[in-house]
Amino acid sequence: LKREENMDKKIRMEAEECDGRYCTSAETKKKLKARLNRIEGQVRGINNMIEKDAYCDDILNQIASVRAALAGVSKQVLEGHLRHCVVDGIKEGRDEQIIEELITTLNKMMK
């Protein structure tokens, strides 16, 4: 857990100015991609568990693990979005548009 917290902190520190795309450095993209590749491997593992008739509780625990890992990635992307894209949009006078977009996104994330 401590290693992930340090990685999260480093990812936050490496964010760059936002130009309407995901704002991040090449190093941060590399780390997020590695995280997503691990998650992809976990999902394949769940598929294999189902194929091999693994114990349901074990499958559910793996699903919970994947959900938690995806939530971590979401938090990283959301934080970068808030710190850069949202702040920049508000500074540019697009307050209403940015806030509506953020509310819509948060509603989708919380389903």
Side-chain angles (χ1 to χ4, degrees), residues 45-95:
I46 293 168
N47 190 34
N48 289 337
M49 291 174 78
I50 291 170
E51 185 70 30
K52 294 177 181 177
D53 295 322
Y55 184 54
C56 297
D57 191 58
D58 293 339
I59 295 170
L60 291 168
N61 283 316
Q62 286 302 310
I63 291 170
S65 178
V66 167
R67 289 177 60 134
L70 280 172
V73 171
S74 293
K75 286 193 300 187
Q76 287 295 307
V77 174
L78 178 61
E79 184 174 337
H81 182 61
L82 291 171
R83 290 183 183 276
H84 299 284
C85 302
V86 171
V87 169
D88 291 348
I90 290 171
K91 285 179 181 177
E92 293 167 1
R94 296 183 293 124
D95 307 39

